[in-house]
């Protein structure tokens, strides 16, 4: 549980670092920022509302979730909001790039920590696997279509899309490939009843596990 909570907290901090970098965000964070701008609510609250909304979509898909899934939806937003309060905006390309890179690495490490705890992946990954099961389409196709729809919607709402968005898309998978096995718990140490996805599914899901 400590690993789960630490991973979710660091994931939110990594997200806030990329927001403050101002050079582009991950697709779901673009959506959160767009909702925040249009609705006039804090970024963290928008993240929570979207996470809960995505989790609700699991019901018709009959996906099973664990405590890690629920806490993912509820806790990343507040930790991201705390990070936004503590971290100032970066100015200048060098500072922006450095802050974004640090946030991306932290986010990938946090993903390995909280998924490795064995309490289940995040709401967005469950949506992906649920649609994969229902439609029979490959995971990569389902994931790509979801991310594209989210990105376009978030950009239309006013979220930040930039070269950082492209960097995230290209680098998040390889970085998670490094950190997921690094922080994975041996099977004998996993909590009874935990619902961690199998390694192959973790690898295809990438980081966002969001």
């Amino acid at each position: 549980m400590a690993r789960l909570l630490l991973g979710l907290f660091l994931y939110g901090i990594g997200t806030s670092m990329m927001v403050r970098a101002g050079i582009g965000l991950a697709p779901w964070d673009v959506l959160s920022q767009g909702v925040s701008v249009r609705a006039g609510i804090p970024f963290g609250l928008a993240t929570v509302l979207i996470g809960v909304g995505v989790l609700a979509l699991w019901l018709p898909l009959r996906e099973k979730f664990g405590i890690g899934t629920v806490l993912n939806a509820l806790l990343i937003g507040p930790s991201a909001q705390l990070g936004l309060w503590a971290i100032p905006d970066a100015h200048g390309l060098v500072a922006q790039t450095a802050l974004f890179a640090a946030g991306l690495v932290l986010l990938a490490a946090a993903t390995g920590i909280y998924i490795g705890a064995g309490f289940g992946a995040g709401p967005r990954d469950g949506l992906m696997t649920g649609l994969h099961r229902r439609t029979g389409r490959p995971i990569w196709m389902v994931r790509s279509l979801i991310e594209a729809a989210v990105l376009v919607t978030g950009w239309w709402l006013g979220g930040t899309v930039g070269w950082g968005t492209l960097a995230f898309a290209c680098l998040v998978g390889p970085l998670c490939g490094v950190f997921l096995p690094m922080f994975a718990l041996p099977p004998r140490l996993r909590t009874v009843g935990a619902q961690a996805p199998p390694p192959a599914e973790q690898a295809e899901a990438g980081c966002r596990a969001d």
Side-chain angles (χ1 to χ4, degrees):
M1 181 61 71
R3 285 168 58 105
L4 172 66
L5 296 177
L6 175 63
L8 295 177
F9 174 76
L10 294 178
Y11 193 102
I13 298 300
T15 298
S16 66
M17 292 169 71
M18 291 190 291
V19 172
R20 289 304 191 198
I23 55 175
L25 299 170
W28 285 99
D29 295 328
V30 173
L31 179 60
S32 293
Q33 191 178 52
V35 170
S36 172
V37 170
R38 287 298 181 96
I41 60 177
F43 177 88
L45 177 57
T47 300
V48 171
L49 293 177
I50 291 171
V52 172
V54 171
L55 193 57
L57 296 176
W58 285 33
L59 299 179
L61 294 174
R62 297 181 181 178
E63 286 289 294
K64 296 180 180 179
F65 53 84
I67 186 172
T69 309
V70 177
L71 291 178
N72 182 298
L74 297 179
L75 297 183
I76 287 179
S79 65
Q81 195 61 44
L82 176 63
L84 290 175
W85 173 77
I87 302 170
D89 288 330
H91 299 285
L93 184 59
V94 173
Q96 289 176 293
T97 302
L99 185 60
F100 182 90
L104 178 56
V105 172
L106 180 60
L107 182 147
T111 299
I113 293 171
Y114 88 76
I115 289 183
F119 287 95
R124 297 156 186 83
D125 284 332
L127 176 63
M128 173 192 67
T129 54
L131 289 174
H132 161 66
R133 275 193 309 103
R134 286 304 184 94
T135 65
R137 301 296 182 184
I139 279 187
W140 69 265
M141 181 183 296
V142 174
R143 182 72 178 215
S144 297
L145 290 174
I146 292 174
E147 298 280 329
V150 166
L151 179 63
V152 171
T153 302
W155 173 76
W156 177 73
L157 291 173
T160 302
V161 176
W163 67 265
T165 306
L166 178 61
F168 181 93
C170 294
L171 298 176
V172 68
L175 285 171
C176 284
V178 172
F179 288 111
L180 280 169
M182 183 183 299
F183 291 112
L185 286 176
R188 62 186 176 82
L189 295 181
R190 290 193 178 277
T191 302
V192 175
Q195 299 178 6
E201 186 174 297
Q202 290 180 359
E204 286 198 89
C207 247
R208 188 81 156 163
D210 78 343

